[in-house]
Structures are given as C-alpha cells and as structure tokens.
Amino acid sequence: MTTTAAPALSLTDRAAYESAVEQALAASAAYYGDGETTLDDASYDALARGIAGYELAHPEHVRADSPTGKVGGGVAPVGEVAHTVAMLSLDNVFDAEGLVKWDASLARRIDHPVAGGYAVEPKLDGAAMAARYRDGRLVQLVGRGNGAQGEDLSHAIGSIVGLPTEVPGGATVEIRGEVLLTRAQFERANEIRAAHNAKPFSNPRNGTAGTLRAKDRPYTIETTFFAYGAVELDGAGFLAGAGGSHEAVMARVAALGVQTTTATEIGLRVYGTLAEAQARVEEIQRLRAELPFGIDGVVVKANDHAEQDAAGSGTRHPHWAIAYKLPPVEARTKLLAVEWNIGRTGHIAPRAVLEPVEVDGSTVTYATLHNPAFIRNTGLMVGDTVVLYKAGDIIPRVEAPVVALRTGAETEIPLPEACPGCGGEIDTSGERWECAGGASGGCGKLPALRYAVGRDQLDIDGLGVTYLEALVEAGLVDDVADLFFLTREQLAEATGSDKRADALIGRLAAAKEQPLNRVFCALGVVRTGRTLSREIARHFGTMDAVRAATPEELAEVKKLPAANAPKIAAHIAALGPVIDKLVAAGVNMTEPAADRADAPGSRPLAGETVVVTGGMHGPLAGLNRNAMNELIERAGGTASGSVSKKTTILVAGEGAGSKLAKAEQLGTRVLGEEEFATLIADHLA
Ligand code: IVH
C-alpha cells in the first residue's frame, strides 16, 4: 500500500549536477535560516538522491561542498555545544522490500537474526533536540547542528510541552527527541504572528525550525516535545539500570514525566517479527491523517541494546535503526480563487480553488480554508503559492502561503459582504460566519434539506436538489417536516411528472418508518453526524427522551464530547417546532427496542470491534458500509474501517482482498456473510 516517497532526479551531465548542488545548498540554507525553504521536502529528497546517484557514477566531479553525506545537508548551523554522543541521522527505506533488505543487513552485522524484537514508533516531523537534565533540573537544550556540535537552544526552556523543567529523583541524563508544532499549536502560532504583523509559518515543520531559532521575540510560541531516546550524561549511570532495551529506556524516560510517543495511539510498540513491524507501519500510515501532529515516516529499531551495540553505527546513521518513509502528504500549488459555500447548518465557508496538484494518491483541486479568521491570520492572497495538506480520507486543507515566493502580483481575497446564498445579511460575530437567517430560516435551508433526504438519513431517493429548490421557491417547504405534508399535486407540479410524484409518495411513506437515529440525523443538529445520531438514539430510545435531556445527560452519550453538549441541547430545543410537525405527520420517533442500549440479551456483538470488507450478498444484500455499520452498532459492536490488532471480527464479502489477508496474518476471527447474518439475526430488519 505504500508508494515510493521520492523518486530520484536523473542528472545527465556535469552542468545539471552543479546546478542541483547549488539548488540543494540554497534550499537548506534558507531552511536553516528562518525556517522557510524554497523547495518542499519531496523535491529536496529527489534532488539529494539525484546528486548522490550522479556522484556514484562520477566520483571525480564530486564537489567539496556537496550536501551528500553531511548531516543537515552540510549547512545546518553548527553551534557551540559539543554533543556527548554524536547525534546521528537515519537511513531511509521506502517500501516493505527495503525494510526486508535492512533487516537482512542487520542480521549479517550481528551474525544472527534479530532476537530482541523490533521497536516501531512514529518518525516525528520536527526538529531534533537534546535536553540535558542535571540533578533533576533541565539545564540545557541543544539542537542537532552537524551531529558533532549543536546550537544552544536553552532560551526555549519553559515553552515546550512535554519537557518539564524539573524531574523527580534528581536524575542526570540527556534525553533526545523531536520538537514539533502540533496542528493546534501551528494554528495558534499563526494567530499570534498575525497579531504581531509577522509573516505566517507555511507549515508546522518550518514553524518549529523558525521558533527554536528565534531568541528575542515579543511573544512566545508553544511547541511540543516527544522523546525517542536517551544517552548518559556526566557518567551518571541513568541507563545502567534501564533493562537493556530501547523500550525499557523509554519507560524510564516516561516515568520522569517527559513525554514519549507512548502517550499517542501510534506510540512505541515492540514486535517479535519483521512482518508484524511491517503491519504496524501500515497501521500507522492509516492513522496518519487523523493525528494531531505530522509524521513523515515510521522508525523501526532493534530493541535490544546488545544487538544495537553489535550492529554499530556508520558516520551518518546507526545500522540498528531505519526510517521507513511514507509518501508525502504535503504539496505546493497556486491559489487561483476563493469560493464561498453554505453548509448544512447555515455557515458560510471559504473554499480554495487550486491549480490541480497530485498529493497522497489523488489530484486535488479544492481545499478548505476553514473560516475568514484563517484567511486573516495567514494573510493568504489570491495567486499565492500555498502549502496543501491531504492524507487519507480527510478533506484537503491549505496550511498557509509561502510568503517567500510572492511575486507582487497577488491580490487580496475579497470577503463576502452579503450571504452568497440569499444575498441577505451575514452574522459575523463568531469565528464561523453564518447566514443571519440561520439554518432553517436563511439559505442554509437547501443544504439542510438535501442532507435530510440523503441516503444515510431519510433516504428519499428521487428528491434531488432541483425539485427541492422548486418546492422551496414555491413556498411549500421550509424544513424537513414540510416534506411529509406535500400533496400528490404539489409533488407533480414541482417534479413535472405524475409518475415521479407517485414514486415520491411511496418513498415519503417509507421514510416515516425510519428508525429514530436516521430521523434525528435528518434534523442536522450541530456537531452531530451519522455516528453520533446513532449513539444518541441508542442511548435515549425515544425523541421525547432526547428532547428532555440536559446537556449533562447528553454528555453521557458514548463518543459525544462533553464540550459540545450545550450547543447540541440548545439546537435540539430550537428545533422543537420542526420535531412537533414531524410527530404530527406520523414520523416514527423511536429506536427499535432491540437496538437500544438498554435492550436485554440482544447484544451479540458486545465488546467486539468489527470491520466489513468486500460486497454483501444473501441476507445482507444491498447494505452499504453505512448500513452495515448501523447494524454492527445496533448489535452492540464497534464498527471500524481498518483491520488492526484491535479488530476482533472481520466480515468478509465477495472480492475481499488486502483486509482479509491482513486479518489472516493477525489471526483475527473471519466470518462469511451467512455466518455474520446468523449471529446478528435479531437485528436484521
Ligand atoms: S532515532 C541514532 N527516532 O529523524 C538514532 N529519530 O532522519 C537517531 N526522528 O535526526 C534518531 N522521529 O530528528 C529517531 N522516533 C524517532 C524519530 C527520529 C523523528 C528524527 C530525528 C533524526 C531524524 C533522522
């Protein structure tokens, strides 16, 4: 599933080589200057690999200042602090085959296959740092520099989350790890910089580099530290009692209160076999999109210290560890225009129209710009080169402009003065702008209706946007409940066909029988979607109980963030008249008894985490993924999209492929469609 992250550039003659070296040097110099580079990571990697390839073929042309073979490309600030133990870099592989080769060479070096297990942890995308603790106090921070000497970064003490200024037990040790800006810290950093008229950081990594280097700023930017190792300091013997493995050392580091990756869901795990390590790499890659910080790979290390020592290190990297690089999830492209769209709850959201660019396996043309405050904080302009982020299934987003690449031809982004939907007023009091008419009154009306009739809500097939628009314009429909009062004549008029009207009458009658979770979902309550609607319906059972719930009671619903409960409760109350109309229309307001959280003895999937793959047939025919997930949750299970160690059941339909292979590899229980249908028979409608 992984693809090559950076194909090497092919340099055909000496002139091309010379110019590539110049380009690489300029880019690293800029990066180590103010943190902003003119090249993105993937292009830099491709350039560096091209240079290395040319040098292999033409050793006589190698320039003394070539970045090849130098930590930080040879232009990292050297700094004044000597490292006690060299701060090395990591060698890279790009696929499973590369990992196997690394393992084989490791086995050769230590004279036997790795026996002490493989430690697998994220390759955090920030800046390397050594934190020196003496007698329990954080006394000095040192950057990587050229690996032998680093710059003193002690001015950052106190602004780094995860790096306490004091640790228990009077420990003396040097802890090594990565400093980074989490997504939230990056957004906050650009807000702070905007308030101080400083140009925005184009992405979290550059922001980290710039932040660590700056000494005399009138503001403080908070960063985060994750430890990935430790070395002895002053011969204090901290590691001596640490059990002889990477895992044990990291546990000791964590016990000091210093943050390690174990605090995250992709944190350090140790596996006995390389196949398991490879599976974990793929799992981390799948989780990547949703992480609160950036990673650019996964690091696999021999866990056992004796095996690490036997393997040894080269001048640049240790032989006992390898970075498995993941494909880039960032790209640079041009912002061509900004569109303003209206969401289902009436909010007005800016969307970037981009010069199409390939990132993480798909071509991206649009990306979210979040809200007007984001545009203000980043100072984004039309015509800017922007950093785009897209991983997995998340909505692509613009990180920030690359201000260094401005030409002067960029223009300001016009903010809408009137609601783009209805031309009415905009409520600009919050961070998100809303049509002053609100979701039900204003122009959020149409998106809300489209959502309500959607396949995963009331499933009123055939009621497309054109007909909905006609019904709204004719003044017949204001909200979802009005749909159930339409006459055959009105439907025929709006759709221009008696036949369509008859079909719709049938679909509307069927919609009245939908379970509460779908009816609730159709209301489009803020901060809720399909999953939460199912949880709310299961928890309360009836619409009356949902309406009577206080914010505190709502906060008890599984997966519902307590902070959102008051907003949800307020919106449910505001929807009172719509709900009353739905009741009057005869729409079902209960969740089937067997599906409720308190239903006795009918939770065959209680405690199970279930993944579905392949096409469904037989008793499950026609159920799409959402419908299968509904079914799993009704039967008490947790539905998930990907196979991991947590998965307890894989339902394999026709054409099951990689997920089935993965489940078999992990020894997960695999059920055919028939077997699964029998298991949850009580819940099949
Ligand atoms: S181990 C001697 N582990 O990646 C071992 N490095 O490309 C050297 N990095 O300089 C480092 N996450 O700044 C290690 N889990 C991790 C890491 C990690 C990020 C960085 C580190 C290093 C660079 C090498």
Side-chain angles (χ1 to χ4, degrees):
M1 71 178 289
T2 46
T3 55
T4 298
L9 218 72
S10 157
L11 303 175
T12 44
D13 56 30
R14 188 168 185 175
Y17 165 73
E18 296 277 339
S19 118
V21 171
E22 297 288 344
Q23 249 194 76
L25 288 176
S28 335
Y31 176 63
Y32 287 105
D34 66 354
E36 291 302 334
T37 60
T38 38
L39 279 179
D40 60 63
D41 266 14
S43 315
Y44 184 85
D45 270 7
L47 200 62
R49 280 161 25 99
I51 291 172
Y54 182 87
E55 291 177 348
L56 210 61
H58 306 276
E60 72 284 9
H61 295 163
V62 174
R63 281 172 48 152
D65 60 350
S66 159
T68 313
K70 296 183 184 123
V71 174
V75 291
V78 170
E80 57 279 15
V81 188
H83 287 299
T84 47
V85 177
M87 264 184 112
L88 299 179
S89 179
L90 290 168
D91 204 2
N92 297 325
V93 296
F94 297 90
D95 50 26
E97 201 187 322
L99 189 66
V100 168
K101 278 194 188 143
W102 165 76
D103 185 49
S105 77
L106 178 54
R108 269 196 309 277
R109 286 179 194 279
I110 65 176
D111 265 347
H112 57 79
V114 168
Y118 302 88
V120 186
E121 59 192 18
K123 183 168 190 306
L124 303 153
D125 197 4
M129 179 180 274
R132 295 180 173 173
Y133 284 92
R134 286 202 167 89
D135 302 323
R137 294 184 60 81
L138 179 56
V139 292
Q140 193 173 35
L141 299 179
V142 191
R144 187 172 68 169
N146 65 4
Q149 276 173 290
E151 61 281 24
D152 192 311
L153 301 172
S154 304
H155 54 271
I157 290 178
S159 63
I160 307 178
V161 174
L163 209 46
T165 50
E166 283 185 35
V167 293
T172 294
V173 61
E174 178 172 313
I175 295 176
R176 292 181 170 184
E178 200 83 349
V179 183
L180 50 79
L181 285 169
T182 62
R183 166 128 301 279
Q185 285 173 332
F186 168 66
E187 279 161 20
R188 180 84 191 111
N190 276 347
E191 262 172 45
I192 294 173
R193 283 175 69 85
H196 285 84
N197 292 319
K199 62 182 196 227
F201 293 134
S202 61
N203 68 13
R205 184 179 356 88
N206 294 354
T208 307
T211 299
L212 288 178
R213 227 152 282 137
K215 273 197 183 122
D216 304 309
R217 276 194 188 140
Y219 52 88
T220 305
I221 288 175
E222 184 192 86
T223 56
T224 297
F225 180 84
F226 285 103
Y228 55 63
V231 296
E232 288 295 359
L233 191 62
D234 307 341
F238 179 85
L239 301 178
S245 74
H246 178 57
E247 188 181 29
V249 167
M250 295 319 293
R252 286 206 79 183
V253 169
L256 292 179
V258 174
Q259 182 160 256
T260 68
T261 58
T262 316
T264 74
E265 68 176 317
I266 55 163
L268 172 72
R269 299 234 189 118
V270 179
Y271 299 95
T273 68
L274 194 71
E276 288 170 304
Q278 171 68 32
R280 176 67 170 170
V281 170
E282 285 162 23
E283 185 176 29
I284 291 177
Q285 180 170 4
R286 276 193 300 274
L287 293 168
R288 184 185 197 186
E290 309 291 339
L291 296 175
F293 49 79
I295 63 170
D296 59 345
V298 180
V299 184
V300 181
K301 300 175 176 172
N303 185 40
D304 186 74
H305 279 170
E307 291 187 334
Q308 287 186 3
D309 291 344
S313 297
T315 50
R316 285 198 294 148
H317 18 74
H319 299 306
W320 46 265
I322 192 80
Y324 191 126
K325 291 280 245 180
L326 297 177
V329 283
E330 255 185 31
R332 292 183 179 198
T333 186
K334 276 242 150 63
L335 176 66
L336 301 178
V338 174
E339 289 178 351
W340 297 83
N341 296 316
I342 300 156
R344 72 177 157 97
T345 51
H347 75 267
I348 299 165
R351 180 166 86 146
V353 183
L354 304 166
E355 212 168 81
V357 65
E358 172 91 8
V359 52
D360 200 31
S362 56
T363 304
V364 177
T365 322
Y366 298 103
T368 178
L369 293 172
H370 312 284
N371 51 46
F374 174 81
I375 295 176
R376 197 175 52 237
N377 290 336
T378 55
L380 195 63
M381 299 178 90
V382 172
D384 263 333
T385 298
V386 295
V387 174
L388 176 77
Y389 182 94
K390 182 201 170 273
D393 293 334
I394 66 156
I395 297 172
R397 60 178 184 243
V398 166
E399 298 270 43
V402 186
V403 177
L405 293 179
R406 284 207 170 133
T407 62
E410 297 76 16
T411 55
E412 233 171 80
I413 295 173
L415 299 178
E417 281 170 10
C419 169
C422 64
E425 266 184 54
I426 303 180
D427 176 356
T428 58
S429 58
E431 210 166 65
R432 279 154 60 116
W433 288 11
E434 316 233 323
C435 172
S440 42
C443 54
K445 209 186 280 180
L446 208 57
L449 283 167
R450 283 176 68 181
Y451 183 74
V453 304
R455 188 163 72 154
D456 297 333
Q457 288 75 32
L458 293 176
D459 193 18
I460 306 175
D461 196 21
L463 198 49
V465 67
T466 325
Y467 303 149
L468 282 174
E469 220 160 28
L471 290 164
V472 170
E473 257 162 37
L476 295 171
V477 173
D478 248 348
D479 55 51
V480 55
D482 293 336
L483 295 173
F484 295 98
F485 292 94
L486 292 170
T487 63
R488 183 171 180 272
E489 290 67 39
Q490 288 168 333
L491 282 166
E493 175 89 0
T495 63
S497 144
D498 285 347
K499 215 167 126 195
R500 278 191 210 115
D502 285 336
L504 280 173
I505 297 263
R507 304 296 302 201
L508 281 159
K512 287 185 187 175
E513 307 306 321
Q514 292 282 11
L516 174 65
N517 73 78
R518 283 169 167 259
V519 175
F520 181 84
C521 193
L523 291 171
V525 175
V526 290
R527 307 293 158 104
T528 67
R530 289 174 306 192
T531 306
L532 262 188
S533 294
R534 284 202 291 272
E535 294 296 347
I536 289 170
R538 279 191 54 202
H539 187 97
F540 293 105
T542 68
M543 186 69 94
D544 282 346
V546 175
R547 292 174 84 171
T550 61
E552 292 73 33
E553 285 162 348
L554 272 170
E556 286 169 20
V557 172
K558 207 167 119 187
K559 298 184 190 165
L560 194 149
N564 293 346
K567 279 208 168 103
I568 295 174
H571 198 189
I572 294 171
L575 286 166
V578 182
I579 301 173
D580 288 340
K581 256 196 289 179
L582 285 169
V583 172
V587 174
N588 167 55
M589 290 289 157
T590 59
E591 194 68 347
D595 301 339
R596 300 193 25 191
D598 55 2
S602 66
R603 318 221 65 76
L605 297 181
E608 309 280 4
T609 298
V610 187
V611 175
V612 179
T613 187
M616 293 298 122
H617 300 86
L620 305 174
L623 297 180
N624 66 10
R625 279 295 173 272
N626 180 60
M628 282 299 289
N629 290 349
E630 275 180 355
L631 191 56
I632 290 163
E633 281 165 20
R634 287 209 306 264
T638 302
S640 164
S642 57
V643 177
S644 73
K645 278 198 157 171
K646 285 194 200 140
T647 312
T648 56
I649 296 178
L650 178 80
V651 184
E654 193 177 270
S658 62
K659 287 185 186 175
L660 178 56
K662 180 80 189 294
E664 280 166 353
Q665 188 189 357
L666 290 175
T668 310
R669 182 177 171 204
V670 177
L671 295 180
E673 297 146 278
E674 297 284 344
E675 275 173 293
F676 184 71
T678 313
L679 185 64
I680 46 103
D682 285 356
H683 298 269
L684 272 176

